[in-house]
């Protein structure tokens, strides 16, 4: 049956009604009708669309969970790069920012700033074509993201079709808007509670939960998670478009009138002192917000000024994020345990009574070494103050035993290895305790193999800690060489393996034999031989056999290798077990390609520092390439630095380099130069 003109009109009416009530409920938080009435409208539309499939529009409100699971994530190139933000941690940083902005604009008067909340969520980019949601992507590397259209459509606060606002500003033909997807703190807790009850994965924080929920192949899973969105800017629509206001604040208000969710705390203020007041106000209400924020963002409000200011590397000069200071919490030390590292060093760890700090549950903190244990005089049962900042390992800042009358005895260093029970040794002149059992200590063996298979070493995918633990426990491997003797039938006996997954893992182990010489050297895990040293060794010895015959004098001649590293290298290759292990490994037919020696006049003999992240290559790859070109790559900016290569989110190194007048190359400039 063909739809009548009345049917067509009814579908249009129902669509418009549902859109407006969804907007009132999810974006404005001002519902006008009861949920049951909304459901009734929805059901009516569903029925009509089922009856007349030709009336079903892609942007229909019934199509939020319409798509089938995807087979993978396609790539989407953003219309303009998604930039990141410079950070300010103090009033001084903020005042410096305002001063720099004014200097560049040769302006002495106070500027208008748009002040926004900085949500701790997942950055997304939404493309609207003729007012309809066309596609959505994650931020990815800032230039290219992953296609998450099927998932974004399931968020009730994302309009599938923009509403025509009450003003006369028309919606551009194409519009790219940016925002942050997040999960409210209370909803995050209930997700984790349900996951825990059903034995599923627990998320560490709301941001991870939002990211995990968006990165689902099946949109039904995303739809089941209470994800929300706030829009904070736009990408490729032209700011000179006469339909778009000439400033950030009004653009956000216009977006809101089109049905896009905008954070209600957004304000325009005049001058940096008012920006500081905004921060203090937000700090005061932070705990009452339903979602987590990690700071506030200030943007020079007028677009013509933003344009004049431009950007450095991947951060605009017209915006800055003022971050909240690290958060602290008080808890109790349940016990102090000792972890064994890859090279046998023993690290004391405080096992804590779980405490929530800034939305994250903390249940242990590294004590680094025994000097730190002594400095804090931390003991079992003590009350302690724990500090957490971003993703860094939580730290105990002090012991607070004001209300304790009796304390347990002083924490003593262990005498025996907690893993293999052997007697511990103390490094000469050092505070670190060490287990000397190497491969016969199960904890060390596990850490060594974890290092060997890791991404920057042999890069064997699918060999996680749990699998390695089982392989060691079942004595299926006793060293790295054992990995190359594994067969499908060994893996099938492990938890979670079927024939296909076993065969995939065997293939990826096999594939790892074809690698670079420097990765192989790094994977061996020789003390003091990090990736840079491994590369320098590979540049100087064309194969493992000649490296094994190296002598101390020759080693010290090599860029970046000092006497300590040289001694460790000699010690490693003088050890019979190491020689046997390498001989065995090489007998499996490894193909180790030495690096090209390809020096470049710009880099040869120069001291170069890398900061930030890059979209076209990893930092490690870049480091390899620079060393290959003759540069010495160091980690911190000093007077000796000749050049800074600055990627996205460059941090304080870029500021320091600018202060010292050091040349800076952006990713694009570097690519152009190398090409
Ligand atoms: N609120 C808000 N968050 N945020 C994050 N605005 C905002 N702007 C950003 C980012 C990364 O970047 C633009 C200034 C480019």
């Amino acid at each position: 049956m063909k739809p009548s003109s009345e049917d067509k009109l009814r579908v249009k009416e129902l669509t418009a009604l549902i859109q407006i009530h969804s907007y009132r409920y999810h974006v404005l938080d001002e519902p006008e009708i009861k949920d049951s009435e909304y459901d009734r409208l929805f059901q009516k539309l569903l029925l009509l669309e089922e009856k007349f499939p030709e009336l079903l529009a892609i942007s229909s409100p019934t199509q939020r969970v319409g798509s089938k699971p995807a087979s993978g994530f396609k790539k989407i190139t953003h219309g303009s790069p998604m930039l990141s933000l410079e950070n300010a941690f103090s009033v001084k940083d903020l005042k410096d920012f305002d001063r720099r902005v004014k200097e560049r604009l040769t302006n002495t008067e106070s500027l208008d700033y748009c002040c926004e909340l900085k949500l701790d969520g997942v950055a997304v980019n939404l493309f609207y074509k003729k007012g309809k949601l066309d596609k959505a992507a994650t931020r990815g590397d800032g230039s290219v993201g992953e296609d998450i259209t099927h998932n974004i459509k399931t968020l009730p606060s994302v309009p599938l079709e923009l509403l025509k606002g009450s003003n006369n500003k028309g919606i551009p033909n194409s519009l790219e808007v940016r925002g942050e997807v997040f999960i409210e703190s209370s909803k995050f807790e209930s997700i984790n509670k349900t996951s825990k009850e059903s034995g599923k994965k627990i998320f560490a924080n709301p941001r991870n939960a939002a990211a995990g929920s968006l990165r689902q192949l099946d949109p039904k899973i995303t739809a089941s998670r209470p994800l929300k969105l706030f829009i904070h800017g736009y990408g490729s629509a032209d700011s000179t478009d006469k339909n778009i206001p000439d400033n950030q604040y009004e653009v956000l208000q216009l977006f809101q009138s089109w049905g896009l969710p905008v954070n209600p705390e957004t304000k325009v203020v005049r001058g940096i002192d008012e920006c500081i007041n905004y921060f203090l106000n937000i700090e005061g209400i932070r705990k009452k917000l339903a979602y987590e924020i990690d700071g506030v963002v200030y943007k020079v409000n007028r677009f013509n000024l933003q344009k004049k200011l431009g950007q450095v590397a991947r951060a605009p000069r017209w915006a800055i994020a003022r971050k909240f200071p690290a958060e602290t919490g008080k808890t109790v030390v349940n016990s102090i345990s000792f972890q064994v590292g890859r090279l046998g060093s023993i690290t004391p760890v405080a096992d804590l009574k779980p405490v929530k700090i800034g939305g994250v549950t903390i249940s242990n903190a590294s004590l680094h070494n025994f000097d730190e244990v002594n400095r804090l005089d931390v003991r079992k049962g003590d009350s302690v103050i724990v500090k957490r900042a971003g993703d860094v390992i939580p730290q105990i800042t002090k012991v607070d035993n004001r209300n304790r009358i009796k304390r347990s005895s002083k924490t003593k260093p262990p005498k025996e290895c907690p893993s293999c029970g052997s007697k511990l040794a103390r490094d000469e002149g050092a505070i670190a305790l060490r287990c000397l059992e190497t491969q016969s200590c199960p904890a060390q063996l596990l850490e060594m193999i974890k290092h060997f298979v890791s991404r920057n070493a042999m890069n064997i995918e699918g060999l996680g800690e749990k699998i390695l633990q089982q392989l060691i426990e079942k004595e299926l491997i006793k060293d790295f060489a054992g990995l190359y003797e594994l067969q499908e039938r060994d893996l099938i006996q492990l938890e979670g393996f079927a024939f296909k997954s076993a065969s995939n893992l065997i293939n990826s182990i096999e594939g790892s034999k074809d690698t670079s010489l420097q990765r192989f050297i790094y994977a061996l895990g020789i003390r003091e031989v990090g990736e840079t040293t491994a590369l320098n060794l590979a540049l100087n010895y064309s194969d493992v056999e000649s490296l094994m015959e190296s002598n101390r004098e020759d080693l010290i001649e090599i860029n970046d290798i000092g006497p300590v590293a040289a001694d460790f290298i000699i010690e490693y290759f003088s050890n019979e077990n190491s020689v046997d292990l390498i001989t065995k490994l090489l007998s499996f037919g490894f193909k180790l390609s030495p690096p090209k020696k390809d020096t470049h006049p710009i880099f040869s003999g120069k001291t170069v520092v890398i900061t930030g992240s890059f979209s076209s290559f990893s930092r490690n790859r870049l480091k390899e390439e620079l060393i290959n070109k003759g540069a010495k790559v160091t980690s911190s900016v000093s007077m000796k630095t000749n050049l800074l290569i600055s990627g996205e989110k460059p941090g304080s190194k870029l500021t320091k380099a600018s202060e010292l007048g050091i040349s800076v190359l952006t990713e694009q400039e570097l690519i152009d130069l190398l090409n």
Side-chain angles (χ1 to χ4, degrees):
M1 194 167 58
K2 283 245 171 248
S4 67
S5 50
E6 246 171 62
D7 292 327
K8 287 182 191 165
L9 195 66
R10 189 73 190 125
V11 165
K12 269 195 176 165
E13 268 173 15
L14 283 168
T15 305
L17 271 172
I18 293 169
Q19 279 172 345
I20 195 82
H21 288 301
S22 171
Y23 168 67
R24 295 201 66 87
Y25 183 89
H26 292 290
V27 178
L28 301 183
D29 210 6
E30 290 165 5
E32 247 177 7
I33 58 170
K34 284 194 192 136
D35 290 0
S36 54
E37 176 65 2
Y38 180 87
D39 289 344
R40 208 176 52 77
L41 295 172
F42 201 89
Q43 288 307 321
K44 276 189 178 171
L45 180 61
L46 263 182
L47 278 176
L48 275 171
E49 286 174 345
E50 261 169 35
K51 196 166 165 193
F52 307 115
E54 60 266 60
L55 298 184
L56 175 63
I58 304 174
S59 58
S60 164
T62 59
Q63 293 308 292
R64 290 198 182 269
V65 202
S67 4
K68 291 198 188 77
S71 53
F73 292 96
K74 281 190 290 177
K75 298 279 178 217
I76 289 185
T77 304
H78 306 309
S80 65
M82 288 181 77
L83 302 176
S84 42
L85 286 162
E86 193 194 326
N87 289 326
F89 295 98
S90 62
V91 167
K92 181 183 174 294
D93 289 351
L94 214 54
K95 289 195 165 170
D96 285 349
F97 163 75
D98 182 54
R99 184 184 38 75
R100 285 196 303 270
V101 165
K102 285 188 187 156
E103 273 169 14
R104 280 199 175 260
L105 296 174
T106 54
N107 182 348
T108 50
E109 280 169 28
S110 294
L111 291 164
D112 280 348
Y113 286 105
C114 183
C115 306
E116 303 167 14
L117 300 191
K118 187 164 184 307
L119 266 92
D120 201 5
V122 184
V124 291
N125 198 17
L126 271 49
F127 297 77
Y128 283 89
K129 243 191 199 158
K130 295 200 172 126
K132 294 195 173 140
L133 179 68
D134 180 42
K135 52 190 179 177
T138 57
R139 181 176 183 284
D141 62 15
S143 303
V144 180
E146 282 182 336
D147 184 349
I148 48 158
T149 317
H150 58 300
N151 290 339
I152 274 291
K153 278 185 165 177
T154 69
L155 271 65
S157 56
V158 171
L160 299 180
E161 190 166 5
L162 298 177
L163 304 169
K164 295 212 171 52
S166 51
N167 52 39
N168 286 326
K169 306 264 185 206
I171 295 164
N173 264 344
S174 77
L175 175 71
E176 192 182 14
V177 290
R178 270 101 201 244
E180 207 84 11
V181 169
F182 62 97
I183 289 185
E184 291 181 350
S185 320
S186 61
K187 304 269 169 53
F188 161 72
E189 276 169 23
S190 43
I191 292 182
N192 263 358
K193 193 164 168 265
T194 325
S195 296
K196 198 171 174 187
E197 279 159 12
S198 50
K200 291 203 190 114
K201 185 182 161 188
I202 306 275
F203 293 106
N205 53 45
R207 176 160 46 89
N208 286 3
S213 306
L214 268 188
R215 246 195 135 271
Q216 290 289 338
L217 291 173
D218 186 352
K220 285 206 180 68
I221 300 180
T222 313
S224 72
R225 307 270 167 83
L227 296 172
K228 286 196 158 189
L229 168 80
F230 279 133
I231 293 296
H232 58 61
Y234 73 104
S236 58
D238 185 2
S239 63
T240 57
D241 187 324
K242 58 183 179 317
N243 285 322
I244 306 253
D246 65 1
N247 66 82
Q248 166 77 5
Y249 182 76
E250 286 178 21
V251 159
L252 293 183
Q253 301 312 302
L254 180 62
F255 284 174
Q256 166 126 345
S257 76
W258 289 343
L260 291 162
V262 172
N263 193 291
E265 303 301 334
T266 307
K267 285 195 172 55
V268 192
V269 303
R270 175 146 303 171
I272 206 68
D273 289 336
E274 284 194 30
C275 286
I276 295 163
N277 285 340
Y278 177 84
F279 180 81
L280 295 174
N281 282 337
I282 298 298
E283 228 179 5
I285 62 161
R286 183 181 178 190
K287 292 267 175 302
K288 291 187 215 133
L289 294 172
Y291 41 83
E292 286 201 3
I293 56 171
D294 56 2
V296 303
V297 182
Y298 303 106
K299 296 174 182 169
V300 171
N301 196 35
R302 297 188 72 86
F303 291 137
N304 62 340
L305 301 184
Q306 290 187 0
K307 205 166 170 197
K308 266 194 196 164
L309 288 160
Q311 65 185 69
V312 228
R314 295 224 140 198
R317 286 203 189 91
W318 43 265
I320 196 157
R322 167 98 196 259
K323 294 296 212 48
F324 292 124
E327 292 189 88
T328 58
K330 195 172 169 183
T331 186
V332 172
V333 176
N334 282 339
S335 62
I336 293 178
S337 59
F338 303 96
Q339 275 177 2
V340 190
R342 169 167 65 87
L343 297 163
S345 60
I346 307 291
T347 307
V349 174
D351 303 311
L352 305 170
K353 181 171 167 221
V355 57
K356 212 150 187 214
I357 307 177
V360 178
T361 305
I362 306 294
S363 46
N364 49 49
S366 170
L367 289 162
H368 308 291
N369 53 49
F370 254 88
D371 254 11
E372 182 71 355
V373 174
N374 291 335
R375 187 184 70 78
L376 291 163
D377 186 19
V378 55
R379 307 178 192 187
K380 179 178 170 180
D382 278 352
S383 292
V384 288
I385 308 294
V386 181
K387 181 172 99 177
R388 174 192 159 252
D391 284 338
V392 295
I393 301 170
Q395 272 186 313
I396 293 182
T397 53
K398 71 172 192 194
V399 173
D400 180 3
N401 280 328
R402 263 171 296 176
N403 302 325
R404 273 182 80 85
I405 304 156
K406 201 168 177 294
R407 290 177 79 191
S408 55
S409 52
K410 211 170 160 57
T411 308
K412 289 200 191 86
K415 290 201 166 69
E416 282 126 27
C417 170
S419 175
C420 67
S422 69
K423 208 166 164 335
L424 296 176
R426 194 175 289 276
D427 285 351
E428 213 179 302
I431 36 164
L433 283 168
R434 196 174 291 281
C435 164
L436 301 177
E437 286 306 303
T438 59
Q439 263 146 251
S440 50
C441 168
Q444 265 185 84
L445 179 61
L446 175 66
E447 293 304 317
M448 272 184 220
I449 301 184
K450 264 166 66 184
H451 171 79
F452 184 81
V453 304
S454 66
R455 202 163 59 162
N456 295 338
M458 300 306 283
N459 192 20
I460 305 179
E461 257 186 65
L463 263 180
E465 178 158 353
K466 286 223 170 84
I467 300 172
L468 290 176
Q469 249 163 359
Q470 292 184 68
L471 289 171
I472 294 171
E473 267 163 29
K474 292 189 187 301
E475 298 192 1
L476 288 164
I477 49 173
K478 291 194 173 65
D479 52 30
F480 327 132
L483 289 171
Y484 295 90
E485 290 172 320
L486 284 174
Q487 297 191 6
E488 273 100 349
R489 62 163 186 270
D490 298 323
L491 296 178
I492 285 171
Q493 37 171 313
L494 308 183
E495 209 179 287
F497 269 98
F499 184 76
K500 180 92 180 103
S501 45
S503 149
N504 285 347
L505 184 51
I506 297 292
N507 285 342
S508 88
I509 296 175
E510 200 54 29
S512 73
K513 289 182 190 169
D514 190 350
T515 187
S516 65
L517 178 60
Q518 64 264 35
R519 275 178 179 269
F520 182 84
I521 298 173
Y522 172 65
L524 293 176
I526 306 168
R527 261 177 98 176
E528 297 289 321
V529 179
E531 286 167 84
T532 311
T533 310
L535 175 60
N536 282 320
L537 288 171
L539 280 165
N540 283 275
Y541 298 93
S542 51
D543 50 44
V544 187
E545 289 82 355
S546 40
L547 172 63
M548 286 165 87
E549 283 158 20
S550 61
N551 63 50
R552 193 173 185 273
E553 289 68 39
D554 290 346
L555 285 170
I556 291 173
E557 285 294 300
I558 298 174
N559 180 18
D560 161 67
I561 298 182
V564 177
D567 285 342
F568 282 127
I569 296 167
I570 297 291
E571 186 188 309
Y572 182 86
F573 290 117
S574 323
N575 182 316
E576 224 176 274
N577 291 337
S578 315
V579 176
D580 288 348
L581 177 64
I582 294 173
T583 315
K584 191 166 173 195
L585 275 172
L586 296 180
S587 74
F588 294 124
F590 276 74
K591 222 174 102 206
L592 305 175
S593 41
K596 281 191 277 116
K597 288 185 188 163
D598 181 18
T599 54
H600 187 289
I602 299 271
F603 303 107
S604 182
K606 302 281 165 51
T607 302
V608 182
V609 175
I610 303 173
T611 182
S613 53
F614 300 86
S615 47
S616 312
F617 30 71
S618 67
R619 280 173 67 114
N620 286 321
R621 187 65 207 92
L622 173 60
K623 201 161 154 189
E624 281 179 16
E625 191 61 29
L626 292 170
I627 293 173
N628 219 356
K629 300 245 173 283
K632 180 175 178 196
V633 180
T634 59
S635 55
S636 55
V637 174
S638 72
M639 291 298 284
K640 287 190 191 149
T641 309
N642 301 107
L643 186 66
L644 178 78
I645 314 273
S646 177
E648 221 177 283
K649 290 202 180 147
S652 61
K653 288 185 195 172
L654 181 60
T655 323
K656 190 157 181 202
S658 322
E659 282 164 8
L660 294 174
I662 292 163
S663 311
V664 178
L665 275 186
T666 63
E667 179 171 1
Q668 194 51 52
E669 286 165 343
L670 176 74
I671 293 170
D672 292 346
L673 201 117
L674 294 177
N675 285 340

